[in-house]
Amino acid sequence: MLSASDLAGRLAQNAEAVCRHYLSAGRRAGNYWLVGDVDNNKGRSLYVHLVGPRAGRWTDAATGQFGDLLDLLRETCGLVDFRDVAEEARHFLSLPQPEPVSDVRGDVGDASPVERPATERARRLFRMTHPLAGTLADIYLRERGILRASTHGALRFHPSCYYRDLVTARTTSFPALIAAVTDAAGAITGVHRSWLDPDGVGKAKVDNPRRALGRLLGNGVRFRFPVTDPVPVLAAGEGIETMLSLSHVMPGMPMVAALTANHLAGFHFPPGCRRIYIAADADAAGRHGIEGLSRRAQAHGILPLVLSPELGDFNDDLRWLGPDRLTESLKAQLTPEDAVAFLTA
Protein backbone atom coordinates (compact mmCIF):
# COMPACT_ATOMS: atom_id res chain seq x y z
CA MET A 1 0.00 0.00 0.00
CA LEU A 2 1.41 3.38 -1.03
CA SER A 3 1.86 5.60 2.05
CA ALA A 4 1.77 9.37 2.39
CA SER A 5 5.52 9.31 3.01
CA ASP A 6 6.07 7.42 -0.25
CA LEU A 7 4.05 9.98 -2.20
CA ALA A 8 5.80 12.91 -0.49
CA GLY A 9 9.17 11.30 -1.28
CA ARG A 10 8.36 10.88 -4.94
CA LEU A 11 7.22 14.49 -5.16
CA ALA A 12 10.42 15.63 -3.41
CA GLN A 13 12.50 13.84 -6.06
CA ASN A 14 10.78 16.13 -8.57
CA ALA A 15 10.59 19.22 -6.36
CA GLU A 16 11.45 21.78 -9.02
CA ALA A 17 8.94 20.30 -11.47
CA VAL A 18 6.26 20.43 -8.76
CA CYS A 19 7.07 24.08 -8.11
CA ARG A 20 7.07 25.03 -11.79
CA HIS A 21 3.64 23.43 -12.17
CA TYR A 22 1.85 24.58 -8.99
CA LEU A 23 3.82 27.76 -8.19
CA SER A 24 4.46 29.04 -11.71
CA ALA A 25 4.63 32.69 -10.57
CA GLY A 26 7.84 31.91 -8.68
CA ARG A 27 11.45 31.42 -9.72
CA ARG A 28 14.47 29.37 -8.80
CA ALA A 29 17.12 31.08 -6.66
CA GLY A 30 20.04 28.79 -5.91
CA ASN A 31 18.72 25.71 -4.15
CA TYR A 32 15.30 27.25 -3.45
CA TRP A 33 12.09 28.04 -5.27
CA LEU A 34 10.75 31.47 -4.25
CA VAL A 35 7.16 32.67 -4.64
CA GLY A 36 4.76 34.99 -2.83
CA ASP A 37 2.44 32.43 -1.22
CA VAL A 38 0.51 29.19 -1.72
CA ASP A 39 -1.99 31.10 -3.88
CA ASN A 40 0.81 31.50 -6.47
CA ASN A 41 1.15 35.26 -6.15
CA LYS A 42 4.45 36.88 -7.07
CA GLY A 43 6.92 37.52 -4.27
CA ARG A 44 9.47 35.67 -2.16
CA SER A 45 7.81 34.98 1.19
CA LEU A 46 7.39 31.27 0.48
CA TYR A 47 10.47 29.18 -0.22
CA VAL A 48 10.78 25.52 -1.14
CA HIS A 49 13.95 23.44 -0.70
CA LEU A 50 14.80 21.88 -4.05
CA VAL A 51 17.81 19.71 -3.18
CA GLY A 52 19.40 17.92 -0.26
CA PRO A 53 17.82 16.12 2.68
CA ARG A 54 15.12 18.83 3.03
CA ALA A 55 14.07 18.71 -0.62
CA GLY A 56 10.35 19.33 -0.87
CA ARG A 57 10.06 21.03 2.51
CA TRP A 58 8.64 24.56 2.35
CA THR A 59 7.94 27.51 4.63
CA ASP A 60 5.84 30.64 4.16
CA ALA A 61 7.64 33.35 6.12
CA ALA A 62 4.57 35.59 6.03
CA THR A 63 2.14 33.16 7.65
CA GLY A 64 4.39 30.65 9.36
CA GLN A 65 2.85 27.80 7.36
CA PHE A 66 5.17 24.93 6.47
CA GLY A 67 5.08 21.35 5.31
CA ASP A 68 6.04 18.92 2.59
CA LEU A 69 4.89 18.83 -1.02
CA LEU A 70 1.68 16.98 -0.15
CA ASP A 71 0.79 19.89 2.11
CA LEU A 72 1.70 22.24 -0.74
CA LEU A 73 -0.65 20.46 -3.14
CA ARG A 74 -3.40 20.61 -0.54
CA GLU A 75 -2.96 24.36 -0.10
CA THR A 76 -2.47 25.36 -3.74
CA CYS A 77 -5.41 23.27 -4.94
CA GLY A 78 -7.70 24.15 -2.03
CA LEU A 79 -8.23 20.49 -1.10
CA VAL A 80 -9.57 19.25 2.22
CA ASP A 81 -9.68 15.43 2.21
CA PHE A 82 -6.40 13.55 2.06
CA ARG A 83 -7.74 11.16 -0.58
CA ASP A 84 -8.11 14.16 -2.92
CA VAL A 85 -4.56 15.30 -2.15
CA ALA A 86 -3.26 11.79 -2.89
CA GLU A 87 -5.20 11.66 -6.15
CA GLU A 88 -3.73 15.00 -7.23
CA ALA A 89 -0.22 13.76 -6.39
CA ARG A 90 -0.73 10.53 -8.33
CA HIS A 91 -2.02 12.51 -11.30
CA PHE A 92 1.03 14.79 -11.29
CA LEU A 93 3.42 11.86 -10.95
CA SER A 94 1.50 9.93 -13.65
CA LEU A 95 1.35 6.81 -11.55
CA PRO A 96 -0.28 4.13 -13.71
CA GLN A 97 -2.83 2.76 -11.25
CA PRO A 98 -4.41 4.53 -8.25
CA GLU A 99 -3.50 2.60 -5.12
CA PRO A 100 -5.04 2.71 -1.65
CA VAL A 101 -3.13 5.38 0.27
CA SER A 102 -2.69 5.44 4.01
CA ASP A 103 -2.03 8.83 5.58
CA VAL A 104 0.22 8.02 8.53
CA ARG A 105 0.03 11.69 9.56
CA GLY A 106 -3.77 11.68 9.91
CA ASP A 107 -6.49 12.72 7.44
CA VAL A 108 -6.24 16.47 6.84
CA GLY A 109 -10.02 16.64 6.92
CA ASP A 110 -10.17 15.01 10.35
CA ALA A 111 -11.21 17.35 13.15
CA SER A 112 -8.86 15.56 15.57
CA PRO A 113 -5.50 14.81 13.91
CA VAL A 114 -2.44 13.75 15.83
CA GLU A 115 -1.12 16.55 18.03
CA ARG A 116 1.92 18.31 16.57
CA PRO A 117 4.61 20.24 18.43
CA ALA A 118 3.60 23.50 16.73
CA THR A 119 0.20 23.33 18.42
CA GLU A 120 1.74 23.04 21.85
CA ARG A 121 4.12 25.92 21.08
CA ALA A 122 1.11 28.00 20.09
CA ARG A 123 -0.64 27.17 23.36
CA ARG A 124 2.44 28.04 25.40
CA LEU A 125 2.72 31.38 23.61
CA PHE A 126 -0.92 32.20 24.28
CA ARG A 127 -0.48 31.39 27.97
CA MET A 128 2.30 33.99 28.11
CA THR A 129 0.10 36.83 26.83
CA HIS A 130 -1.62 39.69 28.67
CA PRO A 131 -5.21 40.99 28.50
CA LEU A 132 -5.70 43.28 25.51
CA ALA A 133 -7.36 46.32 27.12
CA GLY A 134 -5.17 49.42 27.20
CA THR A 135 -2.19 47.79 25.48
CA LEU A 136 -0.39 48.81 22.31
CA ALA A 137 -2.38 46.17 20.43
CA ASP A 138 -5.66 47.65 21.69
CA ILE A 139 -4.50 51.10 20.57
CA TYR A 140 -3.50 49.68 17.18
CA LEU A 141 -6.99 48.28 16.64
CA ARG A 142 -8.72 51.41 17.93
CA GLU A 143 -6.84 53.44 15.33
CA ARG A 144 -8.55 51.21 12.78
CA GLY A 145 -12.00 51.94 14.16
CA ILE A 146 -12.25 48.69 16.14
CA LEU A 147 -13.21 49.95 19.58
CA ARG A 148 -14.37 46.83 21.43
CA ALA A 149 -11.58 44.38 20.59
CA SER A 150 -10.73 43.86 24.26
CA THR A 151 -14.12 42.20 24.82
CA HIS A 152 -13.01 39.24 22.67
CA GLY A 153 -11.23 36.52 24.62
CA ALA A 154 -9.45 35.30 21.49
CA LEU A 155 -7.32 38.46 21.37
CA ARG A 156 -4.38 39.07 23.70
CA PHE A 157 -1.16 41.10 23.86
CA HIS A 158 2.46 40.01 24.10
CA PRO A 159 4.89 42.83 25.03
CA SER A 160 7.98 41.16 23.53
CA CYS A 161 7.16 38.41 21.05
CA TYR A 162 10.07 36.58 19.43
CA TYR A 163 10.55 37.29 15.71
CA ARG A 164 12.95 35.45 13.42
CA ASP A 165 13.79 36.55 9.90
CA LEU A 166 13.60 33.30 7.97
CA VAL A 167 15.95 34.54 5.24
CA THR A 168 18.75 36.07 7.34
CA ALA A 169 18.02 34.07 10.54
CA ARG A 170 18.37 37.33 12.52
CA THR A 171 16.26 37.31 15.69
CA THR A 172 14.65 40.13 17.64
CA SER A 173 11.45 40.85 19.58
CA PHE A 174 8.50 43.19 19.11
CA PRO A 175 5.20 43.77 20.88
CA ALA A 176 2.47 41.74 19.18
CA LEU A 177 -1.25 41.26 18.87
CA ILE A 178 -1.85 37.54 19.50
CA ALA A 179 -5.03 35.81 18.31
CA ALA A 180 -6.02 32.29 19.36
CA VAL A 181 -6.96 29.85 16.59
CA THR A 182 -9.48 27.35 17.97
CA ASP A 183 -11.43 24.31 16.85
CA ALA A 184 -15.17 23.72 17.19
CA ALA A 185 -14.75 22.60 20.81
CA GLY A 186 -12.90 25.80 21.73
CA ALA A 187 -9.47 24.15 22.06
CA ILE A 188 -6.51 26.26 20.92
CA THR A 189 -4.88 24.70 17.85
CA GLY A 190 -2.71 27.66 16.82
CA VAL A 191 -2.07 31.37 17.11
CA HIS A 192 -1.79 34.30 14.75
CA ARG A 193 0.83 36.95 15.50
CA SER A 194 0.78 40.56 14.29
CA TRP A 195 4.04 42.26 15.29
CA LEU A 196 3.66 45.96 16.12
CA ASP A 197 5.94 48.99 16.02
CA PRO A 198 7.02 49.76 19.62
CA ASP A 199 6.52 53.47 18.84
CA GLY A 200 2.84 52.89 18.17
CA VAL A 201 2.80 53.70 14.44
CA GLY A 202 1.34 50.50 13.02
CA LYS A 203 2.97 47.19 12.15
CA ALA A 204 6.58 46.40 13.00
CA LYS A 205 9.00 47.37 10.25
CA VAL A 206 9.86 43.85 9.15
CA ASP A 207 9.28 42.00 5.90
CA ASN A 208 6.57 39.74 7.32
CA PRO A 209 4.79 41.29 10.30
CA ARG A 210 2.06 38.62 10.34
CA ARG A 211 2.52 34.89 10.83
CA ALA A 212 0.43 31.97 11.99
CA LEU A 213 1.60 28.98 14.00
CA GLY A 214 -0.08 25.64 14.61
CA ARG A 215 -2.96 23.72 13.06
CA LEU A 216 -5.09 26.12 10.98
CA LEU A 217 -7.04 23.94 8.54
CA GLY A 218 -10.71 23.78 9.50
CA ASN A 219 -10.20 26.14 12.43
CA GLY A 220 -10.04 29.90 12.90
CA VAL A 221 -9.99 32.92 15.21
CA ARG A 222 -13.52 32.96 16.66
CA PHE A 223 -15.53 35.89 17.99
CA ARG A 224 -18.79 35.47 19.96
CA PHE A 225 -18.82 31.73 19.24
CA PRO A 226 -20.72 29.50 21.70
CA VAL A 227 -18.79 26.32 22.44
CA THR A 228 -21.69 23.96 23.16
CA ASP A 229 -24.79 25.51 21.58
CA PRO A 230 -25.69 25.20 17.88
CA VAL A 231 -24.62 28.09 15.64
CA PRO A 232 -27.39 28.51 13.05
CA VAL A 233 -25.98 31.74 11.56
CA LEU A 234 -22.39 32.95 11.37
CA ALA A 235 -20.04 35.11 9.32
CA ALA A 236 -16.66 33.91 8.06
CA GLY A 237 -13.78 35.64 6.29
CA GLU A 238 -10.02 35.75 6.00
CA GLY A 239 -8.64 38.64 8.01
CA ILE A 240 -8.92 39.36 11.73
CA GLU A 241 -9.46 43.08 11.18
CA THR A 242 -12.09 42.37 8.52
CA MET A 243 -14.14 40.22 10.89
CA LEU A 244 -13.62 42.57 13.85
CA SER A 245 -14.97 45.40 11.68
CA LEU A 246 -18.12 43.41 10.96
CA SER A 247 -18.41 42.47 14.62
CA HIS A 248 -18.29 46.18 15.50
CA VAL A 249 -21.72 46.70 13.93
CA MET A 250 -23.02 43.11 14.39
CA PRO A 251 -21.78 42.32 17.93
CA GLY A 252 -24.18 39.43 18.43
CA MET A 253 -23.31 37.42 15.33
CA PRO A 254 -20.75 34.60 15.72
CA MET A 255 -17.77 35.25 13.47
CA VAL A 256 -14.58 33.51 12.45
CA ALA A 257 -11.38 34.68 10.74
CA ALA A 258 -9.80 31.77 8.86
CA LEU A 259 -6.61 33.80 8.10
CA THR A 260 -6.05 32.75 4.46
CA ALA A 261 -8.23 32.07 1.42
CA ASN A 262 -7.36 28.37 1.40
CA HIS A 263 -8.15 27.98 5.08
CA LEU A 264 -11.41 29.84 4.57
CA ALA A 265 -12.35 27.32 1.88
CA GLY A 266 -11.64 24.47 4.32
CA PHE A 267 -13.36 25.86 7.44
CA HIS A 268 -15.29 23.23 9.43
CA PHE A 269 -18.94 24.22 9.83
CA PRO A 270 -20.30 24.34 13.40
CA PRO A 271 -23.23 22.12 14.46
CA GLY A 272 -26.66 23.38 13.47
CA CYS A 273 -25.39 25.85 10.86
CA ARG A 274 -28.10 26.94 8.39
CA ARG A 275 -26.65 30.15 6.91
CA ILE A 276 -23.09 31.39 6.53
CA TYR A 277 -22.20 34.92 5.47
CA ILE A 278 -18.85 35.04 3.70
CA ALA A 279 -16.96 38.34 3.90
CA ALA A 280 -15.49 39.17 0.51
CA ASP A 281 -11.99 40.51 -0.14
CA ALA A 282 -11.18 42.33 -3.34
CA ASP A 283 -8.52 39.96 -4.70
CA ALA A 284 -8.28 36.74 -6.67
CA ALA A 285 -7.23 34.66 -3.69
CA GLY A 286 -10.22 35.93 -1.76
CA ARG A 287 -12.57 34.85 -4.53
CA HIS A 288 -11.01 31.39 -4.45
CA GLY A 289 -11.78 31.11 -0.73
CA ILE A 290 -15.35 32.31 -1.20
CA GLU A 291 -16.03 29.87 -4.01
CA GLY A 292 -14.52 26.93 -2.14
CA LEU A 293 -16.44 27.63 1.07
CA SER A 294 -19.66 28.24 -0.87
CA ARG A 295 -19.41 24.88 -2.63
CA ARG A 296 -18.79 23.04 0.61
CA ALA A 297 -21.62 24.89 2.37
CA GLN A 298 -24.10 23.94 -0.34
CA ALA A 299 -22.96 20.32 -0.15
CA HIS A 300 -23.78 20.40 3.59
CA GLY A 301 -27.20 21.95 3.01
CA ILE A 302 -26.04 25.36 4.30
CA LEU A 303 -27.00 28.58 2.51
CA PRO A 304 -23.91 30.67 1.64
CA LEU A 305 -24.41 34.43 1.26
CA VAL A 306 -21.59 36.79 0.27
CA LEU A 307 -21.10 40.15 2.01
CA SER A 308 -19.31 42.74 -0.16
CA PRO A 309 -17.61 45.93 1.08
CA GLU A 310 -18.00 49.25 -0.68
CA LEU A 311 -14.27 49.96 -0.55
CA GLY A 312 -11.32 47.54 -0.49
CA ASP A 313 -12.41 45.64 2.63
CA PHE A 314 -14.74 46.01 5.59
CA ASN A 315 -12.12 47.72 7.74
CA ASP A 316 -11.79 50.39 5.04
CA ASP A 317 -15.59 50.76 5.13
CA LEU A 318 -15.58 51.12 8.92
CA ARG A 319 -12.70 53.60 9.01
CA TRP A 320 -13.52 55.81 6.03
CA LEU A 321 -17.30 55.51 5.64
CA GLY A 322 -18.17 55.06 9.31
CA PRO A 323 -20.24 52.53 11.26
CA ASP A 324 -23.61 54.01 10.22
CA ARG A 325 -22.83 53.68 6.52
CA LEU A 326 -21.44 50.15 7.07
CA THR A 327 -24.63 49.21 8.94
CA GLU A 328 -26.82 50.45 6.09
CA SER A 329 -24.73 48.57 3.53
CA LEU A 330 -25.00 45.33 5.49
CA LYS A 331 -28.72 45.79 6.06
CA ALA A 332 -29.26 45.49 2.32
CA GLN A 333 -27.19 42.27 2.19
CA LEU A 334 -28.48 40.33 5.21
CA THR A 335 -31.73 38.42 5.25
CA PRO A 336 -34.46 40.55 6.88
CA GLU A 337 -34.56 38.37 9.99
CA ASP A 338 -30.76 38.52 10.43
CA ALA A 339 -30.76 42.29 9.91
CA VAL A 340 -33.28 42.64 12.75
CA ALA A 341 -31.47 40.15 14.98
CA PHE A 342 -27.86 41.23 14.54
CA LEU A 343 -27.46 44.81 13.27
CA THR A 344 -27.04 47.51 15.89
CA ALA A 345 -29.61 50.26 15.85
Side-chain angles (χ1 to χ4, degrees), residues 142-156:
R142 285 178 174 274
E143 289 176 346
R144 281 149 182 78
I146 301 166
L147 306 181
R148 294 188 288 271
S150 61
T151 64
H152 298 291
L155 301 178
R156 303 274 291 183

Side-chain angles (χ1 to χ4, degrees), residues 39 74-75 77-80 217-219 236-238 258-269 276 278 285-297 300:
D39 295 315
R74 182 193 70 206
E75 297 292 342
C77 298
L79 302 174
V80 176
L217 186 65
N219 305 317
E238 291 182 51
L259 304 178
T260 72
N262 280 326
H263 289 107
L264 178 62
F267 175 67
H268 292 162
F269 303 110
I276 183 167
I278 309 174
R287 290 192 293 274
H288 161 76
I290 292 170
E291 292 168 359
L293 186 59
S294 295
R295 286 193 300 270
R296 292 184 54 246
H300 284 77

Side-chain angles (χ1 to χ4, degrees), residues 2 4-5 54 64 88 108 113 119 188 193 273 276 304 307 339:
L2 197 62
S5 297
R54 291 184 58 79
E88 178 67 26
V108 298
T119 299
I188 294 177
R193 298 154 292 176
C273 184
I276 183 167
L307 299 178

Side-chain angles (χ1 to χ4, degrees), residues 43-270:
R44 60 185 186 90
S45 295
L46 188 151
Y47 58 94
V48 185
H49 295 263
L50 299 179
V51 298
R54 291 184 58 79
R57 305 298 298 184
W58 60 273
T59 299
D60 188 334
T63 67
Q65 293 172 268
F66 61 92
D68 60 22
L69 291 178
L70 284 177
D71 298 314
L72 186 68
L73 265 61
R74 182 193 70 206
E75 297 292 342
T76 57
C77 298
L79 302 174
V80 176
D81 294 331
F82 177 75
R83 63 178 61 87
D84 295 330
V85 178
E87 182 178 353
E88 178 67 26
R90 286 195 302 262
H91 177 74
F92 176 81
L93 294 167
S94 300
L95 295 181
Q97 179 65 38
E99 302 175 48
V101 179
S102 65
D103 180 12
V104 298
R105 304 171 303 176
D107 192 323
V108 298
D110 189 349
S112 301
V114 175
E115 186 80 338
R116 294 182 178 182
T119 299
E120 183 52 38
R121 293 202 304 272
R123 290 172 179 167
R124 286 201 304 269
L125 176 60
F126 198 75
R127 289 196 295 266
M128 296 168 62
T129 57
H130 300 173
L132 190 71
T135 66
L136 186 64
D138 193 14
I139 294 170
Y140 165 80
L141 292 171
R142 285 178 174 274
E143 289 176 346
R144 281 149 182 78
I146 301 166
L147 306 181
R148 294 188 288 271
S150 61
T151 64
H152 298 291
L155 301 178
R156 303 274 291 183
F157 175 67
H158 196 299
S160 185
C161 186
Y162 176 82
Y163 176 87
R164 178 175 181 266
D165 188 308
L166 295 179
V167 176
T168 67
R170 187 175 67 89
T171 61
T172 186
S173 297
F174 296 94
L177 169 66
I178 307 294
V181 177
T182 56
D183 61 18
I188 294 177
T189 65
V191 292
H192 184 271
R193 298 154 292 176
S194 298
W195 282 277
L196 306 174
D197 191 316
D199 296 328
V201 290
K203 294 285 197 318
K205 295 177 177 62
V206 295
D207 285 342
N208 305 291
R210 298 183 182 185
R211 289 181 191 165
L213 170 69
R215 196 174 74 244
L216 307 184
L217 186 65
N219 305 317
V221 181
R222 299 167 195 259
F223 308 114
R224 307 290 187 230
F225 244 84
V227 174
T228 57
D229 297 334
V231 183
V233 180
L234 74 146
E238 291 182 51
I240 293 172
E241 291 168 30
T242 289
M243 303 316 295
L244 286 173
S245 299
L246 288 173
S247 184
H248 184 81
V249 296
M250 295 191 291
M253 182 179 287
M255 301 200 178
V256 61
L259 304 178
T260 72
N262 280 326
H263 289 107
L264 178 62
F267 175 67
H268 292 162
F269 303 110

